[in-house]
Amino acid sequence: MGMRVLVCGGAGYIGSHTVIQLLAAGHDVLILDNFANSKPAVIKRLESITGEHLRVHAFDLRDAERTERLFDHEQIEAVIHFAGHKAVGESVEKPLEYYQNNLGSTFSLLRAMERHGVTKLVFSSSATVYGENAPVPMTEDLPTSATNPYGWTKVMIEQVLRDVAVAQPDQRIAILRYFNPVGAHRSGTIGEDPSGIPNNLLPYICQVAVGRLQKLRVFGDDYDTPDGTALRDYIHVEDLAAGHVAALARLTATERAVSTWNLGTGNGSSVLEMLHAFERAVGRTLPYEIVGRRAGDIAASFADPGRARAELGWKATHTIDDMCVDSWRWQSQNPNGYPDA
Ligand SMILES: NC(=O)c1ccc[n+]([C@@H]2O[C@H](COP(=O)([O-])OP(=O)(O)OC[C@H]3O[C@@H](n4cnc5c(N)ncnc54)[C@H](O)[C@@H]3O)[C@@H](O)[C@H]2O)c1
């Protein structure tokens, strides 16, 4: 049954792809975003993909009064909370901004939900909460920790959510721990559009392929992995979006106040494997150099996605070649990302 779903951070990379699938699943969607890390142009593109007019509330979720008013005026039944800052390196330089934005937006949201009796929440967490020394594949019951302020905001918000659920046992909260989202919608009209030099591998390779960056720097080839480069669990953003729709459906049927699900494929792919998959997508080799390890990087991170499979009936279906083909379609059609206006 369709619900009216507030998508906080719905103009962002993962949020925008999820909006399409929520609409396709029959939900009524409201987007809240302050466009701190996204551009209004994404909304037009979403409207042309879905053929629907989208209602967008452009304000900062930390603005508790406006958030209250939104809940006063709309019969919101569920919330997906993507809103937050996400750049690890920047979080080390600006910890207070990260704590303020990521925690502050969550507090204002949880308050409004409590006052308006909204009991379904899906929260964007991250595999970063498994910290530095977690064994792979990573299961949801591992202890959590972090190595940077961004990661700590996720660890802290998860704890806040568990505490809120104790005090409000009718809450149905999904904590989704994403592994490494990549790829783009098959239309090539929406995708990841990082500002500045990308931190993540695929956006970086995309910009090398399109000529915005000179060559890929591979951070370390002396890890204890098959080709010496670090392993990550890359997941197509379309699979991730489908995981949100499945989690939302599950929240209407579960007795558990808080559920935590890994969203990953269960496969670790190396940096060089991803580079070569991307070269296949582009049809030419791409320049790269091996440099030293990057502080804070771990050798291998990949999910045990068994719980999501068993409880959500969800499973990632896209291959790394699909991810690269779709990323490249987006990047080659939009070499400079979204237009400003
Ligand atoms: N992309 C990843 O690799 C990844 C991995 C794990 C977890 N996550 C988490 O998933 C969520 C979405 O990630 P994304 O890649 O789509 O990021 P994104 O930056 O593209 O999207 C986040 C959106 O939230 C908005 N926003 C930020 N602060 C806000 C505020 N205070 N009020 C209103 N809007 C605000 C931004 O403008 C942006 O549109 C984030 O919480 C992120 O931490 C992302």
Side-chain angles (χ1 to χ4, degrees):
M1 261 230 313
M3 288 183 272
R4 176 168 289 183
V5 185
L6 175 67
V7 184
C8 301
Y13 171 47
I14 304 169
S16 57
H17 289 81
T18 303
V19 163
I20 296 171
Q21 295 200 25
L22 287 168
L23 290 168
H27 296 293
D28 180 15
V29 171
L30 292 177
I31 293 175
L32 188 167
D33 203 301
N34 65 352
F35 297 99
N37 196 39
S38 49
K39 297 206 180 128
V42 71
I43 303 298
K44 285 264 162 304
R45 306 244 176 133
L46 285 174
E47 290 182 333
S48 99
I49 292 170
T50 62
E52 301 213 20
H53 169 70
L54 290 170
R55 280 178 302 152
V56 180
H57 297 271
F59 66 87
D60 193 316
L61 182 55
R62 281 173 296 175
D63 185 335
E65 266 177 43
R66 284 192 76 170
T67 304
E68 285 289 336
R69 280 209 299 278
L70 176 64
F71 276 77
D72 284 343
H73 290 114
E74 302 281 356
Q75 294 296 310
I76 293 163
E77 296 173 274
V79 179
I80 306 188
H81 179 25
F82 294 103
H85 294 330
K86 62 163 183 179
V88 169
E90 189 184 54
S91 80
V92 175
E93 285 156 28
K94 302 174 181 168
L96 286 178
E97 260 182 45
Y98 272 67
Y99 287 115
Q100 258 169 356
N101 192 51
N102 294 6
L103 295 168
S105 60
T106 305
F107 294 149
S108 125
L109 176 64
L110 290 173
R111 277 265 178 242
M113 288 179 66
E114 180 183 15
R115 290 209 185 95
H116 293 83
V118 179
T119 57
K120 291 178 200 66
L121 173 67
V122 178
F123 172 64
S124 301
S125 190
S126 164
T128 193
V129 302
Y130 293 121
E132 231 170 349
N133 298 311
V136 285
M138 294 162 168
T139 53
E140 289 87 349
D141 45 18
L142 287 169
T144 57
S145 69
T147 56
N148 55 70
Y150 165 70
W152 281 117
T153 68
K154 296 297 183 192
V155 173
M156 289 177 186
I157 293 169
E158 286 198 3
Q159 186 59 44
V160 169
L161 295 175
R162 286 188 287 268
D163 290 341
V164 164
V166 171
Q168 302 169 38
D170 57 339
Q171 283 292 334
R172 295 293 176 266
I173 298 173
I175 293 173
L176 301 183
R177 293 181 179 155
Y178 313 155
F179 279 70
N180 294 70
V182 296
H185 187 260
R186 61 188 175 283
S187 65
T189 59
I190 64 165
E192 187 170 11
D193 182 18
S195 51
I197 307 241
N199 289 298
N200 294 340
L201 178 64
L202 249 269
Y204 202 103
I205 297 179
C206 276
Q207 295 199 7
V208 172
V210 88
R212 280 169 70 182
L213 292 168
Q214 232 180 7
K215 61 181 159 189
L216 173 69
R217 288 187 308 154
V218 177
F219 297 112
D221 66 349
D222 56 351
Y223 286 106
D224 184 15
T225 60
D227 66 16
T229 65
L231 301 182
R232 294 290 179 272
D233 187 339
Y234 297 96
I235 175 167
H236 198 298
V237 65
E238 293 285 359
D239 282 328
L240 201 60
H244 290 74
V245 177
L248 202 55
R250 182 77 192 128
L251 290 187
T252 61
T254 183
E255 291 299 308
R256 217 164 40 204
V258 181
S259 304
T260 304
W261 289 297
N262 281 339
L263 296 183
T265 63
N267 303 315
S269 302
S270 76
V271 176
L272 292 179
E273 277 178 282
M274 288 307 279
L275 175 67
H276 297 322
F278 207 87
E279 289 175 333
R280 286 195 291 279
V282 179
R284 60 189 150 88
T285 58
L286 297 170
Y288 73 95
E289 67 174 330
I290 308 282
V291 298
R293 291 183 184 192
R294 190 168 57 171
D297 277 351
I298 57 177
S301 164
F302 51 93
D304 176 341
R307 187 189 284 178
R309 189 173 192 166
E311 297 184 356
L312 300 177
W314 169 92
K315 176 175 172 288
T317 58
H318 292 79
T319 64
I320 60 169
D321 283 291
D322 299 334
M323 301 174 203
C324 292
V325 165
D326 290 341
S327 288
W328 178 234
R329 189 181 300 112
W330 151 253
Q331 190 70 61
S332 52
Q333 289 180 20
N334 302 273
N336 297 310
Y338 291 109
D340 282 327

